Amino acid sequence: MNWLAYCPVPSTWCRALIAVLVVAIGLSAGEFVTDASAASHGAEQQIASVGSDEVTDESTSLRPAARPKRSDYPSIGVSSRGVVWAIAQLHLFFGALVLAVPIFVLVIELIGFKTNDDRYDDMAHEFMKVSLTAYAITALFGGALALSLFLLYPDFMIYMTRVFESQLLIYAVLFFLESMLLYIYYYGWNALRYGNRKWVHLTLGLLLNAVGTTLLVVANSWSTFMMAPSGVDPATGAVTGNIWEIMKGPLWNPLNLHRFLANIAFGGAVVGAYAAFKFLAAQTPAEKAHYDWMGYTSNFTAILAFLPLPFAGYWMMAEVYAYSQQMGILAMGGILAWLFVIQAVLICTILLAGNYYLWTGMARTEGSARYRWLIKYIAVVLVVGFLVWVTPHNVIYSASEIARLGGGNHPVLGPLGIMPAKNIAVFLMLIFTFLSFQLYRRADKVITVSWQHWGNTLMIAIYIVASANVIFAGVYYGYFTNTVYKVGSSVIQVGSTAVVIVSGVVIDTLMFKGAKTLRVSWGKVPDRAQYALFALPVAFTWLMALMGYIRSSVRTHWHVYAVMKDNSPDNFIPTLQTVGNMVTLVTLLFLIFLLFIFWIANLSGTKQVPLATDGKPAPAESAA
Amino acid sequence: MSLDTRKATVRWILVLAVTLAFFYGLDHFIMSAQGLPLNWDMTPGN
């Protein structure tokens, strides 16, 4: 029986889909084989090395990590660390963008399909255009990173290759699959747009995201192995476990979650800047409306993914402390702690820009007049929170300054420099950012459910009690109890914030049933709102570069923490000035590349008007 | 006091009481789950 005849889409597509599935299943099977072979690898090595000069007894039969000397590191006249730092960071920026955008594109495409609204589909397709243009640059930086690592850190790369062995080939195959699926997904958009064919397209999008997320977690395992190695002998670095034991180190899943969320927030911010760029250049009201809506969706995605990010960050740092207290203290209490003050400035910039965009966006609907009076109070909470968060604890004073202050800390502002005060500030800022979101979502609706008074009262009560709980937990346990309760109480603050967000979504979803929707005038938003959209990717990029440096730097003078020592000329924590310069340099480089991507994406939609009959150039170009 | 005001006051008292009870229970649950029990008056149990 020719079952392909029953397939709702052309048989070519059915065969292509089946081929993709077969390859995916084959790969999964291959991975299991790899695990098994890795488990027996140690024994094979032992057998192979019998008779070798290096083998003296059974305990040294496993190959230890190399102990490279200073002379083993090639010199190219500039800092090797600086070269790898810049290339790795740029690769990570673009990697984050191309892996994240398809995730929310798939969701938007599904919404468009379920609501039969072509606008969603067009917007999702345009988002993918930005991602596709960035893909080639991601691959170029990935190749450059691999080459520079093998050139500048050969012993380290030989060790990493031996540890991860055939997993690297699986990574390469996944990369090929990602490329194939990405191109089919983008270029097949219009060919698979309606009816059952749309399901094929959505399936391709799902496969693309599955492969992309697998690529992410595989690459994450390399980073977390360097920070907290597992599956190897701690004394020698010899591989003792299988690939699964090597991958699932203590920091792997915290980093997976943190990067997954951060990538979505970053991707949303970048495509938001693209929408702002197009909005400001738009010539017609229809174009302005389209790009205004696109910018709003991008900002919504970025901030929504950003809100739970501090929770993932807390988990990550808790695991870092659990793995090595020394590592945790270096990050948050030593020289690197100063960078967390800059982190505070950047996160507050993101929150202020995101909130400001929502407030100005309320001008799109008349229904927002009911809530505008609240904006000034939200702004006060955000600004006070910002000031508390950036208050440093240990400032280096001169003797006369200490005498004038009456001690090492300011008598009034001193208590604001420690974590309990900052925790209160952070969580209140998150709660009030969610309030901005909720007000924006309610602005174009007139709620009609019979229990609306109860629902509104409950929501207000949750905001009041949750905020009071955050302040109580921070002040009482933070300043008046022991350290264990102080640390434990931050989970109360996390829980309170989570309750506000979850209950806000649930209550609104139930209350919006049967609600009357007011008209939203897309495109009628002030130009200054677009500059808030530009501020978001700048702050996100800077933040990623900064925090990525901190995460990597806690290894100090180790390539692989406590297993393989770094003896290169750069095996020290650089000065804060150097860090600031490097982080700023890679941020600027990324932004320049991003402008190039926007220009290319815009160019593909530009058509030249045919030449006039007299052979003179056309008077103008038209954007499609 | 009008009927509407009385209804609104009762609603507020009820909802605030329920919300306070919920967060009180949440704080006890979260701290106990970490091995840090609280007394009834929220002072540290250990």
PDB file of all heavy atoms in Angstrom, chain A residues 32-54:
ATOM      1  N   PHE A  32      23.811   7.036  22.475  1.00  0.00           N
ATOM      2  CA  PHE A  32      23.864   5.962  23.462  1.00  0.00           C
ATOM      3  C   PHE A  32      25.099   5.094  23.242  1.00  0.00           C
ATOM      4  O   PHE A  32      25.786   4.709  24.168  1.00  0.00           O
ATOM      5  CB  PHE A  32      22.601   5.097  23.390  1.00  0.00           C
ATOM      6  CG  PHE A  32      21.398   5.803  23.933  1.00  0.00           C
ATOM      7  CD1 PHE A  32      20.279   6.008  23.150  1.00  0.00           C
ATOM      8  CD2 PHE A  32      21.409   6.292  25.225  1.00  0.00           C
ATOM      9  CE1 PHE A  32      19.173   6.660  23.654  1.00  0.00           C
ATOM     10  CE2 PHE A  32      20.298   6.959  25.745  1.00  0.00           C
ATOM     11  CZ  PHE A  32      19.185   7.143  24.946  1.00  0.00           C
ATOM     12  N   VAL A  33      25.367   4.836  21.941  1.00  0.00           N
ATOM     13  CA  VAL A  33      26.548   4.033  21.633  1.00  0.00           C
ATOM     14  C   VAL A  33      27.797   4.744  22.140  1.00  0.00           C
ATOM     15  O   VAL A  33      28.695   4.146  22.706  1.00  0.00           O
ATOM     16  CB  VAL A  33      26.633   3.799  20.099  1.00  0.00           C
ATOM     17  CG1 VAL A  33      27.954   3.138  19.745  1.00  0.00           C
ATOM     18  CG2 VAL A  33      25.469   2.930  19.641  1.00  0.00           C
ATOM     19  N   THR A  34      27.774   6.095  21.962  1.00  0.00           N
ATOM     20  CA  THR A  34      28.930   6.878  22.404  1.00  0.00           C
ATOM     21  C   THR A  34      29.117   6.775  23.909  1.00  0.00           C
ATOM     22  O   THR A  34      30.224   6.619  24.397  1.00  0.00           O
ATOM     23  CB  THR A  34      28.728   8.352  22.021  1.00  0.00           C
ATOM     24  OG1 THR A  34      28.399   8.389  20.652  1.00  0.00           O
ATOM     25  CG2 THR A  34      29.981   9.146  22.266  1.00  0.00           C
ATOM     26  N   ASP A  35      27.992   6.859  24.644  1.00  0.00           N
ATOM     27  CA  ASP A  35      28.073   6.728  26.099  1.00  0.00           C
ATOM     28  C   ASP A  35      28.721   5.409  26.485  1.00  0.00           C
ATOM     29  O   ASP A  35      29.598   5.347  27.332  1.00  0.00           O
ATOM     30  CB  ASP A  35      26.665   6.787  26.713  1.00  0.00           C
ATOM     31  CG  ASP A  35      26.148   8.208  26.727  1.00  0.00           C
ATOM     32  OD1 ASP A  35      26.913   9.097  26.333  1.00  0.00           O
ATOM     33  OD2 ASP A  35      24.997   8.407  27.120  1.00  0.00           O
ATOM     34  N   ALA A  36      28.227   4.367  25.827  1.00  0.00           N
ATOM     35  CA  ALA A  36      28.725   3.035  26.166  1.00  0.00           C
ATOM     36  C   ALA A  36      30.208   2.920  25.828  1.00  0.00           C
ATOM     37  O   ALA A  36      31.000   2.392  26.608  1.00  0.00           O
ATOM     38  CB  ALA A  36      27.922   1.987  25.403  1.00  0.00           C
ATOM     39  N   SER A  37      30.567   3.454  24.668  1.00  0.00           N
ATOM     40  CA  SER A  37      31.973   3.336  24.265  1.00  0.00           C
ATOM     41  C   SER A  37      32.869   4.166  25.171  1.00  0.00           C
ATOM     42  O   SER A  37      33.987   3.791  25.470  1.00  0.00           O
ATOM     43  CB  SER A  37      32.153   3.775  22.809  1.00  0.00           C
ATOM     44  OG  SER A  37      31.849   5.136  22.696  1.00  0.00           O
ATOM     45  N   ALA A  38      32.304   5.306  25.633  1.00  0.00           N
ATOM     46  CA  ALA A  38      33.090   6.144  26.541  1.00  0.00           C
ATOM     47  C   ALA A  38      33.346   5.419  27.855  1.00  0.00           C
ATOM     48  O   ALA A  38      34.427   5.535  28.440  1.00  0.00           O
ATOM     49  CB  ALA A  38      32.378   7.455  26.809  1.00  0.00           C
ATOM     50  N   ALA A  39      32.345   4.676  28.302  1.00  0.00           N
ATOM     51  CA  ALA A  39      32.483   3.958  29.566  1.00  0.00           C
ATOM     52  C   ALA A  39      33.611   2.928  29.487  1.00  0.00           C
ATOM     53  O   ALA A  39      34.307   2.677  30.472  1.00  0.00           O
ATOM     54  CB  ALA A  39      31.176   3.282  29.925  1.00  0.00           C
ATOM     55  N   SER A  40      33.757   2.348  28.316  1.00  0.00           N
ATOM     56  CA  SER A  40      34.789   1.332  28.188  1.00  0.00           C
ATOM     57  C   SER A  40      36.122   1.918  27.710  1.00  0.00           C
ATOM     58  O   SER A  40      37.098   1.212  27.530  1.00  0.00           O
ATOM     59  CB  SER A  40      34.340   0.253  27.196  1.00  0.00           C
ATOM     60  OG  SER A  40      34.144   0.849  25.931  1.00  0.00           O
ATOM     61  N   HIS A  41      36.126   3.220  27.504  1.00  0.00           N
ATOM     62  CA  HIS A  41      37.318   3.870  26.946  1.00  0.00           C
ATOM     63  C   HIS A  41      38.540   3.687  27.836  1.00  0.00           C
ATOM     64  O   HIS A  41      39.648   3.406  27.366  1.00  0.00           O
ATOM     65  CB  HIS A  41      37.022   5.363  26.748  1.00  0.00           C
ATOM     66  CG  HIS A  41      38.165   6.105  26.134  1.00  0.00           C
ATOM     67  ND1 HIS A  41      38.546   5.902  24.844  1.00  0.00           N
ATOM     68  CD2 HIS A  41      39.003   7.036  26.664  1.00  0.00           C
ATOM     69  CE1 HIS A  41      39.585   6.691  24.583  1.00  0.00           C
ATOM     70  NE2 HIS A  41      39.869   7.380  25.666  1.00  0.00           N
ATOM     71  N   GLY A  42      38.310   3.835  29.143  1.00  0.00           N
ATOM     72  CA  GLY A  42      39.415   3.724  30.080  1.00  0.00           C
ATOM     73  C   GLY A  42      40.095   2.372  29.974  1.00  0.00           C
ATOM     74  O   GLY A  42      41.331   2.282  29.927  1.00  0.00           O
ATOM     75  N   ALA A  43      39.298   1.332  29.894  1.00  0.00           N
ATOM     76  CA  ALA A  43      39.846  -0.019  29.796  1.00  0.00           C
ATOM     77  C   ALA A  43      40.643  -0.180  28.505  1.00  0.00           C
ATOM     78  O   ALA A  43      41.733  -0.755  28.499  1.00  0.00           O
ATOM     79  CB  ALA A  43      38.717  -1.033  29.844  1.00  0.00           C
ATOM     80  N   GLU A  44      40.105   0.354  27.398  1.00  0.00           N
ATOM     81  CA  GLU A  44      40.800   0.253  26.112  1.00  0.00           C
ATOM     82  C   GLU A  44      42.162   0.952  26.179  1.00  0.00           C
ATOM     83  O   GLU A  44      43.160   0.453  25.682  1.00  0.00           O
ATOM     84  CB  GLU A  44      39.956   0.894  25.011  1.00  0.00           C
ATOM     85  CG  GLU A  44      38.763   0.051  24.622  1.00  0.00           C
ATOM     86  CD  GLU A  44      37.816   0.841  23.726  1.00  0.00           C
ATOM     87  OE1 GLU A  44      38.218   1.909  23.249  1.00  0.00           O
ATOM     88  OE2 GLU A  44      36.706   0.386  23.525  1.00  0.00           O
ATOM     89  N   GLN A  45      42.133   2.118  26.833  1.00  0.00           N
ATOM     90  CA  GLN A  45      43.386   2.869  26.962  1.00  0.00           C
ATOM     91  C   GLN A  45      44.413   2.071  27.746  1.00  0.00           C
ATOM     92  O   GLN A  45      45.586   2.039  27.410  1.00  0.00           O
ATOM     93  CB  GLN A  45      43.117   4.176  27.696  1.00  0.00           C
ATOM     94  CG  GLN A  45      42.690   5.298  26.782  1.00  0.00           C
ATOM     95  CD  GLN A  45      42.722   6.621  27.530  1.00  0.00           C
ATOM     96  OE1 GLN A  45      42.415   6.663  28.709  1.00  0.00           O
ATOM     97  NE2 GLN A  45      43.089   7.661  26.835  1.00  0.00           N
ATOM     98  N   GLN A  46      43.899   1.433  28.776  1.00  0.00           N
ATOM     99  CA  GLN A  46      44.796   0.662  29.636  1.00  0.00           C
ATOM    100  C   GLN A  46      45.466  -0.441  28.828  1.00  0.00           C
ATOM    101  O   GLN A  46      46.671  -0.660  28.911  1.00  0.00           O
ATOM    102  CB  GLN A  46      43.972   0.070  30.786  1.00  0.00           C
ATOM    103  CG  GLN A  46      44.837  -0.496  31.894  1.00  0.00           C
ATOM    104  CD  GLN A  46      43.997  -0.919  33.074  1.00  0.00           C
ATOM    105  OE1 GLN A  46      42.839  -0.554  33.178  1.00  0.00           O
ATOM    106  NE2 GLN A  46      44.573  -1.693  33.950  1.00  0.00           N
ATOM    107  N   ILE A  47      44.632  -1.112  28.001  1.00  0.00           N
ATOM    108  CA  ILE A  47      45.160  -2.211  27.179  1.00  0.00           C
ATOM    109  C   ILE A  47      46.170  -1.656  26.170  1.00  0.00           C
ATOM    110  O   ILE A  47      47.264  -2.175  26.010  1.00  0.00           O
ATOM    111  CB  ILE A  47      44.008  -2.935  26.452  1.00  0.00           C
ATOM    112  CG1 ILE A  47      43.123  -3.617  27.496  1.00  0.00           C
ATOM    113  CG2 ILE A  47      44.541  -3.947  25.453  1.00  0.00           C
ATOM    114  CD1 ILE A  47      41.780  -4.053  26.964  1.00  0.00           C
ATOM    115  N   ALA A  48      45.785  -0.566  25.521  1.00  0.00           N
ATOM    116  CA  ALA A  48      46.631  -0.003  24.467  1.00  0.00           C
ATOM    117  C   ALA A  48      47.961   0.497  24.997  1.00  0.00           C
ATOM    118  O   ALA A  48      48.970   0.476  24.302  1.00  0.00           O
ATOM    119  CB  ALA A  48      45.895   1.131  23.779  1.00  0.00           C
ATOM    120  N   SER A  49      47.970   0.935  26.243  1.00  0.00           N
ATOM    121  CA  SER A  49      49.193   1.555  26.762  1.00  0.00           C
ATOM    122  C   SER A  49      50.127   0.552  27.444  1.00  0.00           C
ATOM    123  O   SER A  49      51.177   0.961  27.956  1.00  0.00           O
ATOM    124  CB  SER A  49      48.823   2.665  27.741  1.00  0.00           C
ATOM    125  OG  SER A  49      48.088   2.122  28.802  1.00  0.00           O
ATOM    126  N   VAL A  50      49.776  -0.700  27.460  1.00  0.00           N
ATOM    127  CA  VAL A  50      50.660  -1.691  28.080  1.00  0.00           C
ATOM    128  C   VAL A  50      51.968  -1.732  27.282  1.00  0.00           C
ATOM    129  O   VAL A  50      51.978  -1.807  26.063  1.00  0.00           O
ATOM    130  CB  VAL A  50      49.993  -3.086  28.087  1.00  0.00           C
ATOM    131  CG1 VAL A  50      50.997  -4.154  28.513  1.00  0.00           C
ATOM    132  CG2 VAL A  50      48.816  -3.084  29.032  1.00  0.00           C
ATOM    133  N   GLY A  51      53.061  -1.685  27.965  1.00  0.00           N
ATOM    134  CA  GLY A  51      54.351  -1.708  27.283  1.00  0.00           C
ATOM    135  C   GLY A  51      54.882  -0.323  26.996  1.00  0.00           C
ATOM    136  O   GLY A  51      56.040  -0.164  26.642  1.00  0.00           O
ATOM    137  N   SER A  52      54.048   0.665  27.163  1.00  0.00           N
ATOM    138  CA  SER A  52      54.515   2.027  26.929  1.00  0.00           C
ATOM    139  C   SER A  52      55.458   2.455  28.042  1.00  0.00           C
ATOM    140  O   SER A  52      55.348   2.025  29.173  1.00  0.00           O
ATOM    141  CB  SER A  52      53.304   2.974  26.870  1.00  0.00           C
ATOM    142  OG  SER A  52      53.725   4.280  27.088  1.00  0.00           O
ATOM    143  N   ASP A  53      56.397   3.351  27.706  1.00  0.00           N
ATOM    144  CA  ASP A  53      57.369   3.820  28.696  1.00  0.00           C
ATOM    145  C   ASP A  53      56.706   4.585  29.820  1.00  0.00           C
ATOM    146  O   ASP A  53      57.203   4.621  30.940  1.00  0.00           O
ATOM    147  CB  ASP A  53      58.400   4.736  28.013  1.00  0.00           C
ATOM    148  CG  ASP A  53      59.271   3.930  27.080  1.00  0.00           C
ATOM    149  OD1 ASP A  53      59.340   2.693  27.259  1.00  0.00           O
ATOM    150  OD2 ASP A  53      59.848   4.527  26.162  1.00  0.00           O
ATOM    151  N   GLU A  54      55.561   5.242  29.510  1.00  0.00           N
ATOM    152  CA  GLU A  54      54.919   6.097  30.508  1.00  0.00           C
ATOM    153  C   GLU A  54      54.229   5.292  31.613  1.00  0.00           C
ATOM    154  O   GLU A  54      53.990   5.795  32.683  1.00  0.00           O
ATOM    155  CB  GLU A  54      53.871   6.988  29.841  1.00  0.00           C
ATOM    156  CG  GLU A  54      54.469   8.058  28.960  1.00  0.00           C
ATOM    157  CD  GLU A  54      53.397   8.806  28.220  1.00  0.00           C
ATOM    158  OE1 GLU A  54      52.246   8.800  28.679  1.00  0.00           O
ATOM    159  OE2 GLU A  54      53.716   9.386  27.178  1.00  0.00           O
TER     160      GLU A  54
END
